[in-house]
């Protein structure tokens, strides 16, 4: 299993996709901060309001993006293996279907952690340099606390949001990998993933409104709904944190079990 993971990492890091993916995410982070800096320095009334703590608040609102970005990571790792018929080589070599499947899952997770660290790191550094930290006077006027307290509070909230979002990202990642393994063609797999992530919650929500309220219970177990709950949390709600971990891990376990079940019975030509 370890050798399989190492082989997948080697293949991934030898492809331009890995570096382009990281670069685009870093550039997007710079673009967001650049837009904030533009507003800050072109509108005198916003110069005091837009600063490092403010940019952290914008960052928190972007956490649900990770639920959908994992599909790109899955595509980068799976790399059109049905199209090029490369899975049969691994199975013929002696790797079990479980090893093949789980190695892709683990490497996709590692890829997304790298992308996350790079993106967040670039965003925080750019925000600190371009937007600056407000003075104590400004911080007291806008937030009712010192600069150090405001930065500490926002960093604590960032840690909370990351901890609450991680299991949801893991559930979405596991679902994406299952789609890539079970559907021939990366484009169709990506479409199926988006349909499950966006379409199913919308259907359940409408069924709950117009057919039977029981469907709302299922809607509340979707990753999209839980992601919305995380960013709407004003304080560190530990009950919500527990629900995020239960729902996220349940999606991860179910998606992996279904993916492994059908992949283990699939004929690989």
């Amino acid at each position: 299993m370890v050798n399989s993971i190492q082989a997948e990492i080697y293949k991934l890091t030898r492809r331009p996709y890995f570096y382009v993916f990281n670069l685009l995410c870093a550039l997007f982070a710079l673009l967001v901060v650049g837009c904030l800096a533009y507003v800050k320095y072109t509108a005198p009334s916003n110069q005091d309001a837009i600063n490092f703590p403010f940019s952290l608040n914008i960052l928190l609102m972007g956490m649900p993006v990770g639920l959908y970005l994992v599909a790109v990571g899955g595509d980068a790792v799976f790399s059109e293996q049905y199209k090029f018929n490369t899975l049969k080589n691994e199975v013929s070599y002696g790797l079990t279907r479980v090893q093949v499947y789980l190695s892709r899952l683990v490497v996709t997770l590692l890829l997304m952690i790298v992308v996350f660290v790079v993106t967040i790191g670039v965003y925080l550094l750019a925000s600190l340099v371009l937007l600056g930290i407000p003075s104590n006077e400004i911080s007291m006027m806008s937030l009712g606390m010192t600069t150090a307290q405001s930065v500490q509070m926002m960093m604590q909230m960032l840690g909370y949001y990351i901890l609450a979002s991680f299991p949801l990202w893991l559930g979405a990642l596991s679902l994406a990998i299952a789609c890539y393994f079970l559907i021939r063609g990366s484009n169709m797999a990506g479409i199926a993933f988006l349909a499950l992530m966006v379409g199913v919650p919308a259907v359940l929500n409408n069924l709950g409104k117009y057919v039977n309220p029981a469907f709302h219970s299922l809607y509340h177990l979707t990753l999209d709904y839980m992601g919305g709950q995380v960013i709407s949390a004003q304080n560190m709600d530990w009950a919500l944190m527990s629900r995020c971990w239960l729902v996220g891990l349940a999606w991860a376990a179910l998606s992996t079990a279904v993916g492994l079940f059908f992949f283990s019975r699939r004929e690989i030509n």
Side-chain angles (χ1 to χ4, degrees):
M1 183 66 183
V2 174
N3 291 336
S4 180
I5 292 173
Q6 290 175 338
E8 288 304 313
I9 292 175
Y10 178 85
K11 289 193 297 183
L12 176 64
T13 54
R14 294 305 183 276
R15 298 180 63 223
Y17 204 145
F18 172 78
Y19 302 99
V20 172
F21 187 20
N22 276 281
L23 178 61
L24 289 177
C25 289
L27 289 175
F28 180 75
L30 285 174
L31 176 63
V32 173
V33 178
C35 290
L36 292 175
Y38 176 79
V39 174
K40 176 181 176 70
Y41 295 112
T42 56
S45 61
N46 292 322
Q47 288 187 8
D48 292 335
I50 300 179
N51 46 49
F52 183 67
F54 178 84
S55 71
L56 285 178
N57 191 53
I58 299 297
L59 176 62
L60 299 182
M61 297 300 102
M63 285 296 164
V65 173
L67 289 172
Y68 306 96
L69 198 62
V70 294
V72 182
D75 182 53
V77 173
F78 198 77
S79 187
E80 291 281 11
Q81 293 201 276
Y82 284 125
K83 179 179 179 180
F84 298 108
N85 294 319
T86 53
L87 283 177
K88 65 179 181 181
N89 297 331
E90 298 180 49
V91 175
S92 300
Y93 181 74
L95 293 176
T96 66
R97 301 290 182 100
V98 173
Q99 289 174 318
V100 171
Y101 191 99
L102 293 183
S103 65
R104 302 300 188 283
L105 181 62
V106 171
V107 173
T108 305
L109 176 59
L110 293 176
L111 167 62
M112 295 313 300
I113 289 174
V114 171
V115 170
F116 176 80
V117 170
V118 170
T119 305
I120 297 297
V122 169
Y123 185 94
L124 293 179
L125 182 60
S127 297
L128 192 60
V129 173
L130 296 177
L131 304 179
I133 296 178
S135 65
N136 279 326
E137 180 181 357
I138 294 173
S139 184
M140 289 297 296
M141 289 177 57
S142 59
L143 298 174
M145 61 184 73
T146 65
T147 299
Q149 289 173 332
S150 66
V151 172
Q152 181 182 13
M153 180 190 72
M154 294 308 300
M155 292 302 291
Q156 287 176 341
M157 287 301 296
L158 176 60
Y160 170 83
Y161 274 51
I162 292 172
L163 191 58
S165 298
F166 179 79
L168 304 178
W169 296 336
L170 181 59
L173 186 151
S174 302
L175 177 62
I177 292 298
C179 289
Y180 282 113
F181 267 98
L182 301 183
I183 301 173
R184 291 184 179 274
S186 294
N187 291 336
M188 289 304 300
I191 292 172
F193 170 76
L194 289 176
L196 290 171
M197 287 293 296
V198 180
V200 171
V203 170
L204 291 175
N205 188 28
N206 282 291
L207 288 175
K209 289 179 180 178
Y210 304 113
V211 178
N212 192 314
F215 286 104
H216 262 143
S217 298
L218 295 176
Y219 169 62
H220 292 164
L221 295 177
T222 61
L223 296 170
D224 184 74
Y225 171 80
M226 292 303 299
Q229 291 297 108
V230 171
I231 64 170
S232 64
Q234 298 298 318
N235 299 302
M236 289 183 278
D237 185 344
W238 299 106
L240 175 61
M241 172 79 73
S242 299
R243 293 202 303 275
C244 287
W245 277 88
L246 287 173
V247 171
L249 292 180
W251 272 91
L254 181 60
S255 299
T256 302
V258 171
L260 275 171
F261 177 81
F262 286 103
F263 177 63
S264 63
R265 286 155 177 77
R266 166 169 246 161
E267 182 179 355
I268 300 178
N269 298 320

